[in-house]
Amino acid sequence: MDREALRMVRSPEFWRMAVLWTLFLLYSYLLLFLRGRTAVPRRRRPGPCAGGEGEGEGRRPICVVTGATSGLGKAAAAALAREGYHVVLAGRSTQLLSETVQEIRRQQPDAHLEAFHVDLASYKSIKKFGTLLKQWIQETNSVPDIQLLVNNAGMLAKSHRITEDGFDEMIQTNYIGPFILTSILLPLLKNSPVPSRVVNLTSFTHRCVSGIDVSEDALRGMKLGQCSVGKSYPLASTYEYTKLCLLLFSYELHRQLHTSSVSVMAADPGVVETNIMRELPPCLSWFAFFVLRFLNLLQQTDSGVGAVLDAALAPPGASGKYFFGGKGRTIRPSGLSYDVEVAKKLWAESSMLFKELQLRGRDLGTN
């Protein structure tokens, strides 16, 4: 075990992940057990949308999956293509995007796929993606619309890094970026002639948060910078914070859109063997997966993606549900996630930061 690994093992954040995260994962499965076999059935394959190429037969509905080059995002993209969607894969690496598209097409020669670069830790990148996506849709379809947005991309950073927009990188990637992307793509979702959907990937780790600060400084991660001076970066508590923010955002968006044809779902895949812990010392991530596998709590992507597909394919009437464990099953998230006043304040602060980035972009001449 190297020095970095030893230093992390001695930190409170490591034991927070090792103990609290395991306990709340077990608690989530307990809730699943107590709920019984009640499940939300998946709807049938998405129907064709009017307009665009092949208007006589209709066109495939369009879905966008972020973080689509690995793990759950890659599995979700492949599964949704199989379900009949024209899948837009969005990711940070153009090379990995190309390789992922080729891999899915080898398995599904008739898959309809498009790939776009986007970095959720950059407002400029998100805005450019939104512009290029709309242009691509307008080139092929008479109506600019999409039917499904899966906010899957996320990270577990080991250090406090400031983005070009002035945010903590993990907070911007896991929450601020998805908030901005959803806001930009919401008009396309509302334009859909058939019911559309937003699916946000959250985590059982949100249950670890007992109180939440949604002020501008907290959302920027400025307080993390102050706390991390002379101390280790609070990677575990920051990750939990972003997942609770994403859940609060999901429920506030659900409340605002309850009279529209856009539904909002939260999906919690549990623990899946992905590269989410790639920044941690390899020996620690290996040991964590070993223990979780021994406890029969570790899933592979093909099974872990079940909760994502349940949320993506559930009937519109299931809007606001928290999908966990696959097989269409839902549980209740933490009580704090239902706090309407906190959610409204979070929405207001996030919207203000979004507007600030928009104004800064105009001042800099961002296209």
Side-chain angles (χ1 to χ4, degrees), residues 214-247:
V214 294
S215 65
E216 178 183 348
D217 285 353
L219 290 174
R220 286 186 178 278
M222 294 176 65
K223 296 185 177 182
L224 296 176
Q226 296 168 2
C227 292
S228 61
V229 175
K231 299 180 180 179
S232 61
Y233 175 65
L235 73 164
S237 50
T238 303
Y239 182 82
E240 300 157 7
Y241 175 82
T242 62
K243 291 304 179 180
L244 178 57
C245 283
L246 196 60
L247 190 53

Side-chain angles (χ1 to χ4, degrees), residues 126-136 184 367:
I126 297 172
K127 184 179 180 182
K128 182 178 179 181
F129 167 67
T131 301
L132 292 176
L133 177 64
K134 187 173 182 179
Q135 289 176 352
W136 169 73
I184 289 175
N367 294 322

